[in-house]
Amino acid sequence: MIKYKISSVKSPKSGLKVYFPSIVQVAHLSFDDVVTAVEKECTLTRADVRGALSALEYVVLKELKQGNTVRLGGVGSFRLTIVSKNGEDDAAHVSARNIARVRTHFTPSGAMSAALQGSEINAVVQ
């Protein structure tokens, strides 16, 4: 079940408080937690799952560094994006110096997004 709480911020336009729902993170799964959960769902041994996930991490990073998008079936895809420091008046002046940082962007698959739409969502009493 997905849980949310009610949060508030001061509106920059009106200066009044506005309220909105925000997700409550219930738990964080470690690498070992994921290995254990996957091991229970298939016939692979713990060592096999650990090895496969470590290899997946290596391959995803290697492919992203090559500028490739990595699609993981029904999970979604990873791709790189960049954040620019500033724009230039002339395209000839644009170079790697204009890049502030590189980010990894995850896009869930349509199937994953659709599956999450049917999730039970409940408020957390504050």
Side-chain angles (χ1 to χ4, degrees):
M1 154 182 35
I2 298 171
K3 296 181 180 183
Y4 73 92
K5 65 181 178 181
I6 298 171
S7 299
S8 66
V9 294
K10 192 174 184 180
S11 170
K13 291 181 181 179
S14 68
L16 301 173
K17 259 190 184 180
V18 292
Y19 299 89
F20 58 92
S22 62
I23 293 288
V24 173
Q25 298 295 326
V26 178
H28 297 275
L29 269 67
S30 68
F31 185 80
D32 283 338
D33 294 335
V34 173
V35 168
T36 299
V38 171
E39 176 190 20
K40 290 178 182 176
E41 295 295 325
C42 67
T43 59
L44 296 174
T45 67
R46 181 172 187 78
D48 291 337
V49 173
R50 180 178 292 283
L53 290 177
S54 291
L56 176 64
E57 178 183 12
Y58 171 80
V59 169
V60 169
L61 181 58
K62 182 180 99 176
E63 293 302 322
L64 287 174
K65 284 183 173 183
Q66 296 297 316
N68 297 323
T69 296
V70 180
R71 288 191 178 83
L72 297 177
V75 174
S77 62
F78 293 90
R79 64 183 171 86
L80 296 180
T81 62
I82 57 175
V83 176
S84 299
K85 291 180 192 173
N86 54 340
E88 298 288 348
D89 294 335
D90 186 350
H93 295 117
V94 176
S95 70
R97 291 174 298 140
N98 296 92
I99 298 172
R101 66 183 172 272
V102 178
R103 291 178 145 173
T104 305
H105 181 81
F106 173 75
T107 303
S109 70
M112 179 176 277
S113 293
L116 289 172
Q117 291 307 311
S119 298
E120 181 181 342
I121 301 175
N122 292 319
V124 173
V125 179
Q126 298 180 1

